[in-house]
Amino acid sequence: MELERISVVLRPRAPREALDLGAAMLRANAAAVWSAWFAFTVPVFVLCNALGVLLGLPWLGLVLVWWLKPLFDRLPLYVLSRAVFDRAPTWRETLRGQRQWSWRSTLAGLSWLRIDSNRALRLPLDLLEGAPRKQRSARWKVLRRRIVADTSLLTYGCLQFELVLFLSVWLLALLLIPHEWRPESLSDFFGRDVHDASTRWILLGATVAYLAMSAIEPLYVACGFALYLNRRTQLEAWDIDLAFRRLRARLQGLGKVLGVLLLCAGALPLSVHAAAAETPKPVVSSLDKVFGQAPDSEDRRFAEAATEVYRDPRFGGERKVRRWMFKYTPKPDTRVQEMPFPLLARVLAAVFKGLLWLLLIAAGAALAWFAWRWRGLLAPAADAPALALSHGLQVSAEAPAPLPADLAGATRALWQARRRREALALLYRGCVEHTAQLLQLPLSAEATEADWLRQAAAIEDSARAQRVVAIVRTWQFAAYAGRYPDDAAIEQLLSGWPAQTGAST
């Protein structure tokens, strides 16, 4: 992912601040989003309602349009995902670009995941990453952690906004109808007017519902996409990665500028410096010439100003304040009024008290059952896979593929095929596994390059320890700085252990 091209300020945000970011992205690309939205959804809306009228079920069009929301959500996501990196595509490019994305996740969203409250967060994970099903499931468990409540709240909030817009249009129309044309009551309206023109009223309601959906659904997708970007930034430290990339580019440009300045400085004649050194500096004779006044004159002026200020009645002296107060303050009545039916009151109080205790016990039992039932989801697993590793190696829930028997040959083949990153990743993985076997250590998905550099010091053979350090350093330079070695350096790394397990060094 080319993070340096992104137009959004990457930093960890609170979930509600990320929702504001989604609304801002939608406002900045409103023309591209809604042009593509209406270009695709208007024909679908017309076809669905025409099908409902032909079948004699005019309400079917409204239901179909609402059910096809996951299909429509692909359009705003395509526009926003391109707009944050380069530019917003046109509606024709958006429609043509739908062929690049898989349709399996959309079919799932139209079937068993249709009522999923986390659809806004799941959509960019399924469409933008395109990972296999098992890996996508593992990534989803990590991605949704700690923001499930926010995504569900986003879903229900947008649903309420659609309902508010739908009802507001009808209330506005009711206010604009002249009084003499209004029905006598709602029962007459629904019993006579709506029943007589049921098809027209349903089509009109479907149109209003479609307009409300068109106003809110792109906002729903944009906010979900912003939550996705924010979660990836939190887990993968995109902001730190981008800062290091910009720092590297800035230092490269600064090196050229410093070289030019040094050449210019070396060309200056030495006589200029000598003349500047011989120029006599003026000598100050007294403090009066330094400050331009007597040493204590400023103190006297400050004392006179402070005395003048304290003479002002607003800053000093005594004041008299008059205010109205009640002469006789009424005392609160603390007498307990006697109840007309003390026995019945006590019985009812005891009954309600018992019911409240039973309700409290039931709530505690329900919470305990819920905690026991979902304890695996509430507590993060110790071996949970990372969401994504931004530099090559990926750890998934399933067992990794075994290393090739000829590690050197496989690495050399990838390198000669111009797949340099994959070649170094394979060599680094083989180095890690062979080092773990040599030191009799368990493989850990949480171990970093720095950990393996420290483990290399425990190898008794100094030649092997130096080769481990060389391979790890080569992988770090390639993964983090984009600096790849030449062919001779690769051949030197592949000439012995661990690329060739039979070699002594």
Side-chain angles (χ1 to χ4, degrees):
M1 183 178 294
E2 301 178 2
L3 294 179
E4 56 272 2
R5 293 174 50 203
I6 197 167
S7 59
V8 179
V9 178
L10 293 178
R11 61 178 177 84
R13 292 177 169 87
R16 297 187 180 180
E17 189 180 0
L19 297 180
D20 293 338
L21 174 63
M25 290 192 300
L26 181 63
R27 289 196 303 268
N29 305 279
V33 170
W34 269 291
S35 61
W37 174 272
F38 287 115
F40 180 76
T41 59
V42 168
V44 176
F45 171 75
V46 173
L47 289 176
C48 291
N49 285 276
L51 178 62
V53 172
L54 291 177
L55 295 177
L57 303 173
W59 51 266
L60 184 61
L62 175 60
V63 175
L64 287 178
V65 171
W66 176 82
W67 194 265
L68 292 176
K69 274 186 179 182
L71 176 63
F72 301 157
D73 292 343
R74 297 167 61 99
L75 303 170
L77 181 61
Y78 186 89
V79 174
L80 295 175
S81 61
R82 267 60 181 177
V84 297
F85 283 100
D86 189 8
R87 64 174 183 84
T90 62
W91 65 271
R92 291 186 177 88
E93 294 174 349
T94 303
L95 296 181
R96 288 195 297 266
Q98 299 304 311
R99 295 176 296 181
Q100 303 174 5
W101 284 350
S102 174
W103 292 94
R104 294 182 179 179
S105 60
T106 304
L107 295 177
L110 293 173
S111 53
W112 64 87
L113 292 178
R114 180 58 188 86
I115 58 175
D116 183 17
S117 61
N118 300 318
R119 177 164 52 91
L121 185 63
R122 190 188 295 270
L123 188 67
L125 174 66
D126 294 338
L127 296 180
L128 298 180
E129 298 188 10
R133 184 177 62 85
K134 293 184 178 180
Q135 184 178 2
R136 187 170 65 248
S137 176
R139 293 163 68 88
W140 171 246
K141 291 180 181 179
V142 181
L143 184 68
R144 67 190 291 265
R145 192 176 298 159
R146 295 170 54 186
I147 59 171
V148 176
D150 298 286
T151 54
S152 300
L153 184 63
L154 173 64
T155 302
Y156 299 136
C158 290
L159 183 61
Q160 292 176 4
F161 282 142
E162 287 188 21
L163 183 61
V164 167
L165 290 179
F166 179 78
L167 296 178
S168 299
V169 172
W170 291 107
L171 292 177
L172 178 61
L174 183 62
L175 293 176
L176 297 178
I177 295 177
H179 181 71
E180 58 272 11
W181 290 2
R182 294 179 184 177
E184 296 293 336
S185 63
L186 291 178
S187 59
D188 294 339
F189 174 73
F190 288 104
R192 184 179 65 250
D193 299 339
V194 177
H195 184 269
D196 295 340
S198 59
T199 301
R200 285 179 293 177
W201 279 109
I202 292 177
L203 293 179
L204 182 60
T207 304
V208 174
Y210 166 73
L211 294 177
M213 180 184 71
S214 300
I216 301 300
E217 193 66 16
L219 177 63
Y220 174 68
V221 177
C223 292
F225 180 55
L227 285 174
Y228 170 79
L229 290 179
N230 185 55
R231 188 60 176 154
R232 290 288 300 269
T233 302
Q234 293 175 351
L235 293 172
E236 302 178 22
W238 279 356
D239 52 339
I240 301 176
D241 188 3
L242 185 58
F244 277 117
R245 293 188 186 187
R246 291 174 178 172
L247 180 61
R248 174 173 173 265
R250 192 182 305 118
L251 292 178
Q252 288 178 348
L254 185 60
K256 299 178 182 178
V257 176
L258 289 177
V260 174
L261 292 178
L262 290 176
L263 291 177
C264 295
L268 291 176
L270 297 178
S271 60
V272 176
H273 299 285
E278 294 176 359
T279 302
K281 298 183 179 180
V283 179
V284 179
S285 60
S286 64
L287 292 175
D288 297 343
K289 293 183 179 181
V290 174
F291 296 100
Q293 60 185 6
D296 58 343
S297 63
E298 187 68 25
D299 298 336
R300 288 197 301 268
R301 290 172 55 190
F302 176 77
E304 293 174 359
T307 304
E308 185 67 23
V309 169
Y310 281 116
R311 289 174 184 172
D312 194 327
R314 292 175 298 175
F315 297 98
E318 298 180 355
R319 291 184 298 170
K320 293 183 179 181
V321 179
R322 294 182 179 182
R323 63 170 59 96
W324 290 96
M325 297 181 64
F326 287 105
K327 185 176 181 180
Y328 302 103
T329 303
K331 297 181 180 180
D333 189 6
T334 58
R335 295 177 301 174
V336 180
Q337 298 180 357
E338 297 182 358
M339 301 185 67
F341 304 101
L343 181 59
L344 179 60
R346 293 192 184 95
V347 172
L348 292 177
V351 170
F352 282 113
K353 183 178 180 180
L355 290 177
L356 288 177
W357 275 109
L358 291 177
L359 182 61
L360 181 61
I361 294 173
L367 288 176
W369 178 85
F370 181 82
W372 179 83
R373 177 64 175 82
W374 300 101
R375 63 188 185 280
L377 295 178
L378 294 177
D383 55 347
L387 173 66
L389 295 176
S390 57
H391 301 298
L393 296 181
Q394 294 183 350
V395 180
S396 60
E398 59 186 26
L403 288 174
D406 187 6
L407 180 60
T411 305
R412 188 179 293 107
L414 290 174
W415 184 266
Q416 294 175 356
R418 310 302 299 173
R419 297 165 64 181
R420 299 183 297 176
R421 188 183 183 88
E422 297 180 11
L424 293 179
L426 179 61
L427 180 60
Y428 170 69
R429 179 188 164 197
C431 175
V432 166
E433 293 191 8
H434 287 305
T435 303
Q437 293 177 2
L438 181 64
L439 298 177
Q440 297 181 358
L441 296 175
L443 282 175
S444 175
E446 299 176 356
T448 62
E449 293 89 346
D451 296 331
W452 292 111
L453 288 176
R454 287 191 296 268
Q455 296 294 342
I459 301 178
E460 297 179 356
D461 191 346
S462 60
R464 290 191 175 186
Q466 292 176 1
R467 296 188 69 85
V468 171
V469 172
I471 293 175
V472 174
R473 291 298 186 191
T474 302
W475 163 248
Q476 284 182 321
F477 283 127
Y480 295 95
R483 295 169 53 185
Y484 291 92
D486 53 8
D487 296 341
I490 288 295
E491 290 297 333
Q492 184 178 1
L493 294 177
L494 299 179
S495 60
W497 186 90
Q500 298 179 4
T501 56
S504 59
T505 57

